[in-house]
Amino acid sequence: ENAVITGVTGNKNIAKVAIRGIPDRPGVAAQIFSALGSQGINIRLIIQSIAADGLNDISVVVSREFVRQAAEVLEGQRKSLKAKEIVFHDQLAEVSIVGSGIASTPGVAARMFRALARRRINIDLISSSEVRITCVIDERRTTEAIRALHREFQLERLQRGMLRG
Amino acid sequence: ENAVITGVTGNKNIAKVAIRGIPDRPGVAAQIFSALGSQGINIRLIIQSIAADGLNDISVVVSREFVRQAAEVLEGQRKSLKAKEIVFHDQLAEVSIVGSGIASTPGVAARMFRALARRRINIDLISSSEVRITCVIDERRTTEAIRALHREFQLERLQRGMLRG
Ligand SMILES: C[C@@H](O)[C@H](N)C(=O)O
Ligand SMILES: C[C@@H](O)[C@H](N)C(=O)O
């Protein structure tokens, strides 16, 4: 199947909060998101990669208006979670390519990441699905990243109007 | 907005490969996925969470038939990537809840994770979007996890036919 990339999106109105060094055992993610959910915090992305030595981290991407509140809620849970630390960063943006057949077309991710790498744009977080690959990057590189992705996937005509935030 | 969960899916035909301890600087993700893409490996999920001390890991979920090949390709790149190690695990399954308004409805993720936690099902990886939350778990717990999620989101009538793999 050949992927058809139909668009590039950007969103600067985001921030990440991360809970580091939590025990990799049942109930931990449930406790974290129960705490966030009870505060009405909108969660855009949840990212948990491979654990190491029985510990893991969870990165949460939220709309920027929620980052302080999210960090405070999690700091309040830190001891009972046995988490090492709670960190947050709000000078970030999401840039995504969207389309169909992304997962089943090897090389699409490579093209996206190469387009960013050529401009020396560091990729802070990655989350993908069958229809989208999202990278979180430094928000100061957003316009440049979107332009690079439009060029890579030959979507220049769509450049206007794609940037939210 | 209130989320409407329309389904629960499971897929046992998966495996994860992880590249641990890669330098967190531009070009690394591009190199990894160029190598995988050149081999025609289908990539279901790409998961990269927060870095630590200038290093990061990337977890890649692939269809199970690709795991050995993916691990070999990455092992071949390990030195030039300066990666610490390449690991893989294929006794895994994806379970997902799908619907609308997931990101904007706090508490949905908590309900999913609590349903798994109550059965002591450990969550190995997490990847979410606005329309789906996917957990990777031990494949031996797949049927139980799907049943638990159907119950939590009141979708029992959908239980038959949901398990692929
Ligand atoms: C780290 C966290 O996801 C843990 N494995 C859990 O199941 O809750
Ligand atoms: C870790 C990896 O994603 C790196 N930050 C890159 O941009 O390629």
Side-chain angles (χ1 to χ4, degrees):
Chain A
E1 178 174 3
N2 274 328
V4 178
I5 302 306
T6 53
V8 176
T9 65
N11 193 327
K12 285 187 174 183
N13 184 23
I14 66 138
K16 88 181 168 199
V17 188
I19 309 97
R20 290 190 189 270
I22 45 179
D24 182 26
R25 55 163 197 260
V28 174
Q31 182 176 341
I32 288 166
F33 287 89
S34 295
L36 292 171
S38 69
Q39 296 271 318
I41 291 169
N42 276 11
I43 291 163
R44 295 177 61 85
L45 298 174
I46 304 169
I47 302 176
Q48 177 183 308
S49 185
I50 188 172
D53 306 321
L55 296 178
N56 212 338
D57 308 323
I58 296 180
S59 298
V60 187
V61 175
V62 299
S63 303
R64 203 171 280 185
E65 76 239 55
F66 291 114
V67 72
R68 301 268 163 186
Q69 188 184 356
E72 281 171 24
V73 166
L74 293 173
E75 190 58 46
Q77 296 282 320
R78 192 178 58 77
K79 265 198 175 158
S80 70
L81 287 168
K82 297 185 170 58
K84 294 227 157 30
E85 62 173 351
I86 309 299
V87 298
F88 67 94
H89 188 37
D90 61 3
Q91 307 290 311
L92 298 170
E94 282 180 24
V95 292
S96 301
I97 57 171
V98 287
S100 60
I102 287 183
S104 47
T105 308
V108 170
R111 287 174 64 192
M112 180 184 194
F113 302 154
R114 280 199 299 265
L116 299 176
R118 269 182 231 123
R119 278 107 184 137
R120 315 310 297 158
I121 296 171
N122 195 50
I123 300 167
D124 191 53
L125 306 174
I126 305 170
S127 176
S128 79
S129 71
E130 292 206 29
V131 293
R132 189 172 65 150
I133 303 175
T134 295
C135 291
V136 171
I137 61 169
D138 183 333
E139 76 162 337
R140 292 166 296 186
R141 310 300 302 276
T142 309
T143 304
E144 189 179 355
I146 290 175
R147 187 179 303 133
L149 294 171
H150 276 136
R151 277 204 192 118
E152 174 61 36
F153 295 102
Q154 299 176 331
L155 296 167
E156 275 97 328
R157 71 191 183 290
L158 295 182
Q159 285 214 119
R160 296 208 202 91
M162 277 281 141
L163 181 61
R164 287 185 230 112
Chain B
E1 178 173 2
N2 273 329
V4 179
I5 303 304
T6 52
V8 176
T9 65
N11 194 326
K12 284 187 175 183
N13 184 22
I14 66 137
K16 89 180 169 198
V17 188
I19 309 98
R20 287 188 190 273
I22 45 178
D24 182 28
R25 55 164 197 260
V28 174
Q31 183 177 340
I32 288 166
F33 288 89
S34 295
L36 291 171
S38 68
Q39 296 271 317
I41 292 168
N42 277 9
I43 291 163
R44 294 177 61 84
L45 298 174
I46 303 169
I47 302 176
Q48 176 182 308
S49 185
I50 189 173
D53 306 320
L55 297 178
N56 212 337
D57 308 325
I58 296 180
S59 297
V60 187
V61 175
V62 299
S63 303
R64 203 170 280 184
E65 76 239 51
F66 291 115
V67 71
R68 301 269 163 186
Q69 188 185 354
E72 282 171 26
V73 166
L74 294 172
E75 191 57 47
Q77 297 280 322
R78 191 177 59 77
K79 265 195 173 163
S80 70
L81 287 167
K82 297 188 171 53
K84 294 229 161 23
E85 62 174 350
I86 309 300
V87 298
F88 66 95
H89 187 38
D90 62 4
Q91 307 291 310
L92 297 169
E94 281 180 25
V95 292
S96 301
I97 58 171
V98 287
S100 62
I102 286 182
S104 49
T105 309
V108 170
R111 287 176 64 193
M112 179 184 194
F113 302 155
R114 279 199 299 265
L116 299 176
R118 267 180 232 124
R119 279 110 183 135
R120 314 310 296 156
I121 296 170
N122 195 48
I123 300 167
D124 190 55
L125 305 173
I126 304 171
S127 176
S128 80
S129 71
E130 292 206 27
V131 294
R132 188 173 65 152
I133 303 176
T134 296
C135 290
V136 172
I137 62 170
D138 182 333
E139 75 160 340
R140 292 166 297 185
R141 310 299 302 276
T142 309
T143 304
E144 189 180 354
I146 291 175
R147 187 179 303 133
L149 293 171
H150 276 136
R151 276 203 194 119
E152 174 61 36
F153 294 102
Q154 299 176 332
L155 296 167
E156 275 96 329
R157 70 195 181 287
L158 295 181
Q159 286 214 116
R160 294 207 204 92
M162 276 282 140
L163 181 61
R164 288 186 228 111

